[in-house]
Structures are given as structure tokens and as C-alpha cells.
Amino acid sequence: PYSREERVALAMKFIEENGFMRLSDYVQFTRLSRSTACRELKELCSDKNSSIDTTGRRTHKVYVKRKEEIGNR
């Protein structure tokens, strides 16, 4: 099993290669249950220091690389 840091690194690599990631993609390569994967991604997206963000809603939600805000350097 992967550590949380390893899962985040895998997610970022997947997003950089494909442009976005679905929950089902994260479940597949982390081997987490769907509910655990959803909870973990929700926590990552709510953390402003995380490099993963979300776009879309409900069944069309995808995870993308967070855009850097210009005044927060």
C-alpha cells in the first residue's frame, strides 16, 4: 500500500500527464475504496497548500492542478 504522500505524488503525475483526473482513476491506481478515495481527495482540495483542485460538479467533478494565485507568493 502507498503512503498518503506517495498517493498525492501519483495523483499529481497523473494530472500532469492527462490534464485531469477522475475519482475512478484515483481509486484504480491507489487501490483505495471509493469512499476513502473521495474523502482523501476532498481533504486535499480543501487544503489551500495542496497542488490539487477540483472543477465541475457532482458526477462531472474532475481533479486538476491548482492554479497559482498572483498575490500569494
Side-chain angles (χ1 to χ4, degrees):
Y2 297 110
S3 70
R4 183 178 172 121
E5 292 78 19
E6 290 171 323
R7 292 191 299 267
V8 171
L10 286 170
M12 282 308 302
K13 182 178 178 195
F14 187 93
I15 291 169
E16 288 174 5
E17 290 174 357
N18 298 288
F20 67 93
M21 175 182 70
R22 294 183 197 90
L23 175 60
S24 58
D25 298 321
Y26 193 68
V27 167
Q28 185 176 11
F29 64 75
T30 61
R31 302 188 194 286
L32 294 173
S33 70
R34 187 172 174 85
S35 59
T36 302
C38 184
R39 185 172 45 250
E40 186 167 283
L41 286 171
K42 189 183 287 188
E43 290 170 2
L44 283 171
C45 292
S46 66
D47 179 9
K48 297 300 179 190
N49 295 321
S50 169
S51 53
I52 298 176
D53 200 6
T54 183
T55 187
R57 293 188 300 184
R58 299 175 54 109
T59 59
H60 298 287
K61 184 180 281 190
V62 294
Y63 299 89
V64 295
K65 187 173 182 180
R66 186 180 301 273
K67 293 183 174 141
E68 293 185 23
E69 296 180 19
I70 294 175
N72 295 339
R73 288 189 180 175

